[in-house]
Amino acid sequence: MAPMTAVGEEMHALVERLYPLCRSITGDGVRATLEIVGEYLPLQVHEVPTGTQVLDWTVPQEWNIRDAYIADATGRRVVDFAASSLHVLGYSVPVSATMPLTELRAHLHTLPDHPAWVPYRTSYYQPEWGFCLAQDTLDALPDGEYEVRVDSTLADGHLTYAEHVVPGQVADEVIVSCHTCHPSLANDNLAGIAVATFLARTLAERTPYYTYRFLFAPGTIGAITWLARNAERVDRVKHGLVLACAGDPGRLTYKQSRRGDAEIDRVLRHVLAASERPHHIAEFTPYGYDERQFCSPGFDLGVGSLSRTPYAGYPEYHTSADNPDFVSPEAMADTLALCGEAFAVLDRNRRYVNLSPYGEPQLGRRGLYDSLGGRSDAKQAQMAMLWVLSLSDGEHSLLDVAERSGLPFDTVAAAADALRGAELIKA
């Protein structure tokens, strides 16, 4: 794989390319996004018709938009969808009217505390229309008549999502999910899409133990749709990670699964602590991203969420200030690297049984001590072998060994490989 600096730049270029597209929970913007991601990864794209029952929800009508604006009496567009997809309330119904500013104000959304920024607002399940604009722009509008135009359609169509599978040695799966429904927002969640895309490419260069299923879907309704369509095989999902807000300059944050003690929770806690990166471990709450769908009690999957600064935790969240300048190649590369480190641990975390459990086996005559000759960490590697032998009772995993011994997981896993090669332990 290319150096992380180069990969970070590639991810940032992908964010910049996706940024102008108008995405929502359905529609051509989602398809265009997946088409671009499909240039990096082979995707299986699914189209689920409007009206399909998915758990307690129904797939909504498809929304598409061609143009939208507010024009003053001279015909000048004072708010223009062509300048930014954030200018339109998501899922706005069509409108073509002329009205005074006093009437129009009820349909305008601003951020008075950040008067130069444009907010992101939606109305998915209530028929409404509106515009989002900077408070500074609104303050500069004189009273008078304005032409209002939203050239959109709400019609029966499809919800679109896509999957990419990295085959593993076993059919048990790790699911990696990111949402594709946000328009021009770079951190939330284009950085998540970019990190997921390049993580899939990284894993494909290995021969992973688990099968990794990447899900690119609109938030909430997308995950619910996937779960409804895969309910009979969801027991294959042994671990999972939702990626969001993956490119801002903040510290890494891992939100634990509902279980709190799922293997993915332990792995992320261990890897973050061992890496000495600034980080925060957050408890599960039933609010946030799609971890709440995967962790709902009927499914109760071991799925956590990885971000940098969590949703709503930075002023730029859901505003026009969440642009490509807000995310950095370095931050995305760091998020990608952390995911790679975590999945390397997850893939190698096994329980072993000591095949010579009565007393300590003689390591010297098996050449295991000789194999450590010249290594700077020979003493540590020797201790790792002894710890693995001691805890290989079929109950303790290699992560248990690393945590109890205080030794690096890589050293413990290497010791297990050597002992397995000497036929002293078996999985």
Side-chain angles (χ1 to χ4, degrees), residues 186-208:
N187 195 41
D188 181 27
N189 186 51
L190 296 180
I193 293 174
V195 170
T197 299
F198 280 79
L199 178 58
R201 294 175 65 172
T202 302
L203 290 170
E205 294 173 2
R206 312 175 187 171
T207 304

Side-chain angles (χ1 to χ4, degrees), residues 20 54 86 88 101 117 131 184 194 211 269 317 336 354 356:
V54 286
L86 294 180
V88 174
L101 181 60
W117 297 355
F131 288 85
S184 297
T211 293
R269 289 196 301 260
Y317 177 76
L336 175 63
N354 188 334
S356 181

Side-chain angles (χ1 to χ4, degrees), residues 95-380:
V95 62
S96 182
T98 300
M99 64 185 66
L101 181 60
T102 52
E103 181 181 343
L104 178 57
R105 282 181 180 274
H107 298 276
L108 302 181
H109 305 270
T110 65
L111 293 167
D113 291 343
H114 296 283
W117 297 355
V118 177
Y120 164 55
R121 299 287 186 268
T122 64
S123 183
Y124 294 142
Y125 301 106
Q126 294 291 331
E128 182 59 90
W129 65 267
F131 288 85
C132 300
L133 65 160
Q135 182 68 44
D136 288 343
T137 300
L138 178 58
D139 291 343
L141 295 182
D143 287 335
E145 296 288 309
Y146 288 86
E147 180 189 0
V148 179
R149 171 81 165 158
V150 176
D151 183 10
S152 66
T153 56
L154 266 170
D156 288 353
H158 297 83
L159 179 146
T160 309
Y161 71 90
E163 295 175 285
H164 171 78
V165 176
V166 179
Q169 299 170 39
V170 297
D172 289 346
E173 293 185 0
V174 179
I175 192 165
V176 181
S177 173
C178 60
H179 56 277
T180 56
C181 52
H182 283 14
S184 297
L185 298 172
N187 195 41
D188 181 27
N189 186 51
L190 296 180
I193 293 174
V195 170
T197 299
F198 280 79
L199 178 58
R201 294 175 65 172
T202 302
L203 290 170
E205 294 173 2
R206 312 175 187 171
T207 304
Y209 177 74
Y210 289 107
T211 293
Y212 285 81
R213 183 176 300 274
F214 287 79
L215 178 62
F216 300 86
T220 304
I221 186 66
I224 286 171
T225 299
W226 186 88
L227 286 164
R229 288 164 57 91
N230 292 273
E232 293 181 358
R233 55 178 300 281
V234 79
D235 59 340
R236 293 187 191 177
V237 178
K238 304 304 180 185
H239 320 282
L241 194 62
V242 173
L243 290 173
C245 302
D248 69 81
R251 65 183 178 178
L252 285 158
T253 299
Y254 176 68
K255 176 183 172 182
Q256 299 186 115
S257 72
R258 190 179 78 100
R259 299 180 195 171
D261 62 350
E263 189 171 345
I264 192 72
D265 301 327
R266 295 186 58 208
V267 167
L268 264 294
R269 289 196 301 260
H270 176 82
V271 171
L272 282 165
S275 74
E276 299 184 346
R277 290 176 173 90
H279 68 277
H280 173 64
I281 304 296
E283 296 295 327
F284 177 81
T285 63
Y287 189 77
Y289 292 109
D290 285 330
E291 68 281 352
R292 69 190 197 275
Q293 311 306 333
F294 298 116
C295 293
S296 56
F299 295 108
D300 195 25
L301 300 177
V303 176
S305 177
L306 182 68
S307 62
R308 301 193 73 84
T309 306
Y311 64 91
Y314 51 97
E316 297 84 356
Y317 177 76
H318 279 193
T319 77
S320 57
D322 184 359
N323 57 47
D325 291 337
F326 180 62
V327 298
S328 73
E330 294 78 15
M332 285 188 284
D334 185 51
T335 307
L336 175 63
L338 188 279
C339 290
E341 293 163 24
F343 288 160
V345 172
L346 193 65
D347 263 348
R348 293 179 294 167
N349 191 32
R350 305 277 186 284
R351 289 176 171 81
Y352 289 97
V353 174
N354 188 334
L355 298 177
S356 181
Y358 299 101
E360 182 180 305
Q362 192 176 50
L363 302 182
R365 71 178 174 83
R366 292 176 171 86
L368 293 173
Y369 283 146
D370 294 340
S371 69
L372 304 178
R375 285 179 51 165
S376 60
D377 64 342
K379 182 64 176 176
Q380 192 177 62

